[in-house]
Amino acid sequence: MTSDFETQLRSVSLRVTRPRLAVLAALRDHPHVDTDTVIALVRADQPTVSHQAVYDVLRALTDAGLVRRIQPAGATARYESRVGDNHHHVVCRSCGTIADVDCALGSAPCLTASDDHGFVVDEAEVVYWGTCPDCATTPRTSQ
């Protein structure tokens, strides 16, 4: 898999570095994680990588289009490596779990604005909110 990551990095003119490879691997294995989680995952394999290095890698990968940054309302920013397909997300109001939802009609932008105000729309971002199966079956305790 490392060679795939190396190919991805080179295809967007980014140098191949251990922190970049580690971040890509972390996001492949753990989609929709926040920065602190990415740092912990990277440091599990590379304990000397700094917080700033991970922030810089996330920014570079996002800017290059290899990583997508999402931030549902009221939540911290999350990152994923599934890019280029205009998919959406469903978020649990209780525990914050996020899952991918394929595009409503198949191709970007997959939704048509009732009034585009003259814009050329190329992407639609939808966040569905609800309760995940685990939270729906767990009895709520009063606080």
Side-chain angles (χ1 to χ4, degrees):
M1 191 55 74
T2 300
S3 64
D4 289 342
F5 294 149
E6 291 173 359
T7 301
Q8 289 177 340
L9 290 167
R10 288 185 178 113
S11 74
V12 294
S13 300
L14 289 176
R15 285 185 308 115
V16 175
T17 64
R18 285 184 300 163
R20 287 176 178 163
L21 294 172
V23 168
L24 286 170
L27 295 177
R28 176 202 57 214
D29 296 340
H30 305 276
H32 311 124
V33 291
D34 62 14
T35 306
D36 288 339
T37 303
V38 175
I39 291 168
L41 291 166
V42 168
R43 283 188 163 176
D45 288 332
Q46 298 181 33
T48 60
V49 174
S50 70
H51 283 72
Q52 190 60 49
V54 173
Y55 280 105
D56 292 346
V57 167
L58 286 169
R59 186 177 315 108
L61 295 176
T62 301
D63 290 348
L66 296 179
V67 166
R68 181 176 176 192
R69 180 183 185 273
I70 62 169
Q71 189 166 8
T76 59
R78 307 291 180 104
Y79 295 88
E80 64 181 347
S81 58
R82 182 177 170 185
V83 296
D85 66 353
N86 194 217
H87 69 278
H88 308 300
H89 297 94
V90 60
V91 181
C92 179
R93 291 184 189 278
S94 184
C95 69
T97 294
I98 300 173
D100 291 334
V101 177
D102 287 334
C103 198
L105 297 176
S107 62
C110 80
L111 297 173
T112 304
S114 60
D115 182 356
D116 62 20
H117 300 277
F119 284 66
V120 176
V121 178
D122 62 8
E123 181 178 357
E125 184 174 308
V126 175
V127 176
Y128 300 95
W129 292 88
T131 306
C132 73
D134 288 342
C135 291
T137 60
T138 303
R140 295 183 72 158
T141 58
S142 58
Q143 297 188 3

